[in-house]
Amino acid sequence: MHIMHVHIRIKPEHVEAFKAATIENGVNSLKEPGVARFDFIQQADDPTRFMLLEVYRHADDVPKHRAAAHYNKWVATVSDMFAEERTRSFYTNVFPPDQDW
Amino acid sequence: MHIMHVHIRIKPEHVEAFKAATIENGVNSLKEPGVARFDFIQQADDPTRFMLLEVYRHADDVPKHRAAAHYNKWVATVSDMFAEERTRSFYTNVFPPDQDW
């Protein structure tokens, strides 16, 4: 699997709006055939810090996601909410095996 | 959900043994009723760096995991493989909701 972790810090006044917009993006992203998971989590000791854990079946499912209307709506909605530039890290699964994601 | 991310760096000569031991720990950890997920991933640009993404139903499922025979076997097996002390971060889920983990 092609796994992308996105680290995000949001301006405090936008935390609730960011959560709402990102839940909507998550619901729609999971409808993409190439998206096995779209987890959205909030750091326990700092509610302005979030992670997206995006699990794609193949690397070429990422540009398909970026072309989707829901992704572009999300970017337009949240781009002014970031407190700093978001960062990304990339991983492959060791366990579970591909069919269990 | 009570989500713990563990960041691990392994001495290069132990990477394959670490993977085998951690897969075994993952298979057994998923049999614990309090463990919703146990994902084990490898950083794409540095094969000595790994993450465990452990998703517990409740915070009090963590001490149960630490008391399990398979966890203690894993610690004993891999403790000399770490290139540096492992670090942990804690999160709660925003999406998906609890029942979908």
Side-chain angles (χ1 to χ4, degrees):
Chain A
M1 312 298 274
H2 181 81
I3 300 170
M4 182 168 69
H5 286 185
V6 188
H7 290 264
I8 295 169
R9 191 160 70 87
I10 292 296
K11 296 171 189 164
E13 65 272 26
H14 294 310
V15 160
E16 291 310 314
F18 176 74
K19 288 167 76 167
T22 306
I23 289 170
E24 181 183 328
N25 184 31
V27 167
N28 287 307
S29 296
L30 283 177
K31 295 174 184 169
E32 297 175 45
V35 175
R37 280 203 205 148
F38 192 100
D39 297 337
F40 172 39
I41 64 178
Q42 186 171 28
Q43 192 165 309
D45 64 358
D46 183 348
T48 69
R49 293 185 184 273
F50 295 89
M51 285 183 69
L52 298 178
L53 314 176
E54 305 179 22
V55 180
Y56 297 90
R57 301 206 176 276
H58 303 287
D60 58 8
D61 292 314
V62 177
K64 294 176 190 169
H65 173 68
R66 298 236 171 107
H70 52 263
Y71 173 77
N72 287 284
K73 179 183 176 187
W74 178 79
V75 169
T77 304
V78 306
S79 60
D80 289 338
M81 299 181 184
F82 296 121
E84 61 193 33
E85 197 169 359
R86 60 197 194 275
T87 61
R88 296 178 179 84
S89 311
F90 297 91
Y91 301 87
T92 55
N93 56 309
V94 184
F95 174 85
D98 285 6
Q99 68 270 19
D100 292 339
W101 290 72
Chain B
M1 311 299 272
H2 180 81
I3 300 170
M4 181 167 71
H5 285 185
V6 187
H7 291 264
I8 295 169
R9 190 161 70 87
I10 293 295
K11 297 171 188 164
E13 66 271 27
H14 294 309
V15 160
E16 291 310 313
F18 176 74
K19 288 167 76 166
T22 307
I23 289 170
E24 181 183 328
N25 184 32
V27 168
N28 287 307
S29 296
L30 283 177
K31 296 175 184 169
E32 296 176 46
V35 175
R37 280 203 205 146
F38 192 100
D39 297 338
F40 172 39
I41 64 177
Q42 186 171 27
Q43 192 165 310
D45 64 359
D46 182 348
T48 70
R49 293 185 184 272
F50 295 88
M51 285 183 69
L52 299 177
L53 315 175
E54 307 179 20
V55 180
Y56 297 91
R57 302 206 176 276
H58 303 286
D60 58 8
D61 292 314
V62 177
K64 293 176 191 168
H65 173 68
R66 299 235 171 105
H70 52 263
Y71 173 77
N72 287 285
K73 180 184 177 186
W74 178 79
V75 170
T77 304
V78 306
S79 60
D80 289 340
M81 300 179 184
F82 295 120
E84 60 192 34
E85 196 169 1
R86 60 199 195 274
T87 60
R88 297 177 178 86
S89 310
F90 297 91
Y91 301 87
T92 55
N93 56 308
V94 183
F95 175 83
D98 285 4
Q99 67 270 20
D100 293 339
W101 291 70

